[in-house]
Amino acid sequence: MKNFFAFITIILLTFSLFAQSTKGLLTPPISHPESHPDSPNSHPESHPELDSGSPITPQDQFPNQDLYNNHPESHPESHPELDSGSPDSPKSQPAPQNSHPDSTISHPDSPKSHPELDSGSPVTPQDQFPNQDLYNNHPEKSTSSIKLRPKDNITVVDEVDHIELTGVEKKKIEQDRKNIRNNAEESRSLMLRSNELNKKIEKNKIALHQKSLLLTNNFAEDEVLSLIGEAENLKAEILRRRNQLVKEQEATRLRMEEELNKNIQQLQDSPYAIAEMDAGGKPLERAQEDRLHKIQQLQSENKSAFSRYVNDSEQELKEQEKPIIEKIEKINLQLEKKRSINSVFYPKTEDRPSMVTAATYDGVNFGWEMNIFFTLGNHQIEDYNIFVPYKKVTGKKPNYKSVAYKNTVEEYDSYFRTAVPAIYAVVDFTVQAAPSYMPSRYLVRIEKTTLYLLEDNKKVLTQVEKNLVGTYSFLPVNDIRTDAEKRRDKIAVTQLKINSERQQEKDRKYAQKHVENSGFYNFVSPALRCGIEAGFKTPVGLDLSKLNWYGAFDIPFKPVFVGAEITINDLLLNFKDKDKPLIDLENTTYDIAGRLGYQMKMWGQAFSPFVIAGFGAQFNNEFTQSTFFVNGTAGLHLLYTLNIFYNFNYNFNLKQAASSIGVSLSLNGPWGK
């Protein structure tokens, strides 16, 4: 009996082991998120939809709703090929037999749903974007390397090497991190500040918020985006008509070709006349040649007719496009109008950075570094800084010993940390359609930036910009250039690139030469000479009884200067004989000349040499006779207002040479560094 029970026990154990070993074959395995501790799904709370059995929506795949909304596959209406029932359309693919009835994602075990999973190859961006052109133009296109694997009716991302972020996204992340630091700093400052100061700051924040509601929004950004959208829609209409014409031309070609083949066949099937055959009933050679000529004539007529149709239809389309292109040009002119955007009314969304932010107060330079991040339609245009001095904001000089100064700094720092627009910016800008080789792009030029105090709308400062130009790109690109225009632009762009490279090489050599000869170059480089001077000259023998009074003015034509001078020669001064006049003009002559000179920088107004060459005429005291001369001058500009020089003069008519030295007081530079 014991042996019988032992035998039954062995049989039951064997059956149990057999059932356990075949369980995995009879039922599909159930994997849990915990079974993959390294995967993103290792925590059940991170994916509550897996526990609830609810379907995974596109929003689950795109947690950032704005990125999902901008994804080309999130808007089927933007891609008509998805609704056309084409083989590539997801709507036209039959659902796998083993797909979950409540799930929108196919079971990965189905070979039809994910053939790339069977082969072990990664899903490329082209698999996600079957339309290669749409993929290439996609704003969210990244260089990430993503490998997918099947897991419990869902697609899991194993690893993401790198995602390329836009400038706006990078700025938003940077500002979010800064906001965390600002909140911590504000909490710390709140405890350190006095209760009186905290109450004042909170009261002012409420007042500033109320005043911000009184400002007027001119909706400049909406207007610009609307105009750009209107222009691009007109371009899209032109492309639609061109594509429609291509289809019509192809249909006409096929119809005409079919009709031609039919006529040729009829001609070939028609019997030859008796006169066209020999006695044996065979067609004559000339009859066959005549029939071949008729066939060739039919083909030539068909080709000519189709060419005329193509030319006429294209010409008709050009006429239809003219008013559309005129509308686009009018819109482009409207875009060039100067507009302004107020940072208070800058559209604020979760994925859009703030337009104006400020750094912590700089106690060394006494001011705040304010950052202006200018975007248009959430496209980055420019990112630049403006330094705002304390005195410009408060009208008072900073005094680090003053309690009021410290409290004011604390007050404004608190405003900036908590995004209160105590100082707001008004950015003036213009928009211009980019050159034709940059289709669907618009150049945004920032003209100037003005900062105001929100409390009383008082202007703090204005910064005029010179080279702040960004690009707004509209997607999808609407390129309405013809093939000939594209070839022309390609040549022009190539030439621009060549010219740019030549200029860069020229600048590089110039910079290298400047560095190599920096000391000598700065010493002898041209200075800016502009102004007047007056003094006297005397013969080299220093005969003070004969003073030649001298005056001149100069204007710069860098690297040289030009001017005019007048000298009164042999002007005698009588200090001894009271019966004679103090100034004797009896033997006086007048030299009037133009001149060209060069002044070196050296040590600026403290010490700067110059050389001058001149040509003029000499007149007697009655201005009835004249002679001509040339002269040359070499001198030094000293001690800011003093010129000491040597002058050589040669008179052509008198054939006389004379030398003199002189001194003059000047207000003519050299200016600049």
Side-chain angles (χ1 to χ4, degrees), residues 601-648:
K601 281 186 178 180
M602 288 207 178
W603 292 294
Q605 296 183 12
F607 183 90
S608 175
F610 60 87
V611 291
I612 302 172
F615 175 80
Q618 185 179 85
F619 300 89
N620 59 14
N621 61 348
E622 296 179 354
F623 285 89
T624 56
Q625 297 178 352
S626 63
T627 56
F628 297 96
F629 65 88
V630 293
N631 65 11
T633 303
L636 292 174
H637 181 85
L638 301 170
L639 304 176
Y640 300 96
T641 59
L642 184 65
N643 283 343
I644 299 176
F645 56 88
Y646 167 81
N647 178 266
F648 174 82

Side-chain angles (χ1 to χ4, degrees), residues 95 374 392 417 531 590 624:
F374 187 79
K392 290 284 187 180
R417 283 194 293 262
Y590 302 90
T624 56

